[in-house]
Amino acid sequence: MQIDRLAPVLSSLQPSNHPYLNGAWTPQHEEVTAHHLDVIEGAIPADIDGVYLRNTENQLHQPLGRYHPFDGDGMVHQISFSGGTASYRNRWVRTRCFAAEQEAGGALWGGLMDKTGTSKRPGFGAHGGLKDSSSTDIIVHAGKALSTFYQCGEGYLIDPETLAPLGLAPWVPLDGISAHPKVDERTGELLFFNYSKHAPYMHYGVVDRDERLVHYIPVPLPGPRLPHDMVFSEHWAIVNDLPMFWDQDLLKRDIHAARMHDGLPSRFGLIPRHGAPEDIRWFDAAPTYILHFLNAYEEGDEVVMDAYFQDNPQPAPLPNEDGYGHMMAYVDEHSFLPRLHRWRFNLTDGSTREERLDDRVLEFGMINQRVAGQKHRYIYSTTTRPGWFLFTGFVKHDLETGKSWTLMLEDGRYASEAPFAPRIGGTAEDDGYLVSFITDENRGTSECVLIDARDIEARPVCRIALPHKISSGTHSWWADRAVLGNRADTPVDPAHNG
């Protein structure tokens, strides 16, 4: 393995017993480029060609208050596959807040757990009281990677192959973009929403394959809400108004405390992809909170949507002598209990039908993105360690047969979100690989694994050593080499008329 190390950045972080600044969540501050990665087991297949990108929270400076793992500075880790070989690199997301704190030599902003007034200066973007660390999600659209923030942020563009910073996404509105914009590979469009504390409280937009904001409309809501994700079918974008949101009385005192509001249903807004506000159709459903959606598709008179229904959206604090019990409950899936769930919205009579697909605690799922917006057969979910935000394995569901298969990691080994990478020349929906970074606490190392998506219970196709141990994190993306250039010359699917 050939390793090139970049000059270090300034850090003021001190040793801490914080549960999310240690172990598998120990921040990684080193930036490297590594070629000719060593293969620990198996062989890198020649029928995979592209990049796996994973965003990660890595706190760089001593927190001003009570650190939350989602406050950490964004760092993108990438592994590139080509011709049976692999290379790796990682880079900070060089946001405006990152630059300001480097200049100041320390933290300037408080975090999600801190009281108003902790920050030393106003932030940038839509939610200026928080540092926009751009450390939540990463996607690839129009040949560029886009990193996003847990709450509405500015959106930072990155070269997906070199990880060189490309600045702010110029199309992002003043109210920012939510953590999870969506890419329709069939049309090249990016769909997004944002939310705020001022009327109309939500907007929805479409960015075309040439990075132009071509559609942007208000989505009026009854008040401030806390949506996190969205989903789309061929002709509809689906946003949500869920009963888990800020306590309105406390919000008047500038206290941001989320709670379930009894008596309110979940509401899902179906928006024609380029429709007007008056075209939005709202469907009521059982009250819950949804962190992540999987996919939606149209079937007869219905729009079918799969996501993770939370059985306990407002969990009680976990026992913790250091006072982090509330935070730990909200990042522990075994506290808020997400289950694989299906909704059917009837476009003819306006009714909603719901169905539980699995009673296990599952989240952070993936599908083959080539079928996004179309009927999907397979889902790849993650399992987690009780009491912690740490991925311990994967579950594959075959929605046609009802079967499922599970791959659990050894104790002390923790995965990252694993997108599906189609095999070159593959035609079946599950003909490809799951790609994941593994942090091994037993050995103090990290690696990348490729798992045969058709047989996830088998041993990994290969295990590839990384040059350093990396921190656990949140979201990831797979991009085929063919889509890494600008796709403006690629013909749009003529079947799409949305």
Side-chain angles (χ1 to χ4, degrees), residues 4 7 67 114 146 203 325 331 342 344 384 457:
D4 298 319
Y67 178 70
D114 293 333
L146 174 69
H203 289 84
V331 296
R342 172 166 286 177
R344 290 181 173 271
T384 56
E457 294 180 333

Side-chain angles (χ1 to χ4, degrees), residues 29-57:
H29 292 164
E30 178 185 56
E31 294 177 293
V32 307
T33 299
H35 297 287
H36 312 296
L37 299 183
D38 297 330
V39 178
I40 305 169
E41 178 183 340
I44 301 173
D47 57 2
I48 179 173
D49 189 17
V51 297
Y52 169 59
L53 302 163
R54 209 274 310 261
N55 210 341
T56 315
E57 292 87 1

Side-chain angles (χ1 to χ4, degrees), residues 185-258:
E185 292 192 2
R186 297 175 65 246
T187 67
E189 291 177 319
L190 180 150
L191 314 179
F192 73 94
F193 71 93
N194 57 34
Y195 57 96
S196 66
K197 291 182 286 186
H198 57 83
Y201 305 111
M202 180 184 283
H203 289 84
Y204 158 76
V206 180
V207 180
D208 72 9
R209 61 208 325 273
D210 296 319
E211 298 183 273
R212 297 175 301 193
L213 180 62
V214 295
H215 191 65
Y216 189 63
I217 63 167
V219 181
L221 298 178
R225 296 295 189 262
L226 283 174
H228 186 68
D229 197 4
M230 65 173 292
V231 72
F232 67 89
S233 66
E234 183 176 359
H235 298 100
W236 301 90
I238 305 175
V239 297
N240 57 87
D241 172 10
L242 304 176
M244 178 78 175
F245 54 88
W246 288 312
D247 184 299
Q248 300 302 289
D249 291 333
L250 293 177
L251 193 60
K252 294 174 184 176
R253 295 157 49 195
D254 209 20
I255 298 174
H256 297 75

Side-chain angles (χ1 to χ4, degrees), residues 370-416:
R370 292 180 178 177
V371 298
Q374 306 297 309
K375 187 172 183 177
H376 59 285
R377 177 173 177 176
Y378 301 105
I379 292 170
Y380 309 93
S381 303
T382 61
T383 62
T384 56
R385 175 180 164 183
W388 289 87
F389 180 22
L390 291 167
F391 300 140
T392 56
F394 304 99
V395 177
K396 174 184 178 180
H397 284 88
D398 182 338
L399 300 177
E400 187 173 292
T401 66
K403 294 181 179 179
S404 66
W405 302 265
T406 302
L407 170 65
M408 297 301 296
L409 302 178
E410 301 169 16
D411 288 346
R413 285 169 61 85
Y414 304 108
S416 60

Side-chain angles (χ1 to χ4, degrees), residues 141-202:
H141 173 250
K144 298 174 184 176
L146 174 69
S147 66
T148 56
F149 181 51
Y150 171 70
Q151 299 200 25
C152 290
E154 298 178 296
Y156 284 82
L157 295 172
I158 301 166
D159 186 301
E161 297 201 78
T162 67
L163 300 189
L166 301 176
L168 290 166
W171 50 265
V172 173
L174 289 176
D175 281 332
I177 54 173
S178 67
H180 298 298
K182 300 296 183 180
V183 176
D184 186 345
E185 292 192 2
R186 297 175 65 246
T187 67
E189 291 177 319
L190 180 150
L191 314 179
F192 73 94
F193 71 93
N194 57 34
Y195 57 96
S196 66
K197 291 182 286 186
H198 57 83
Y201 305 111
M202 180 184 283

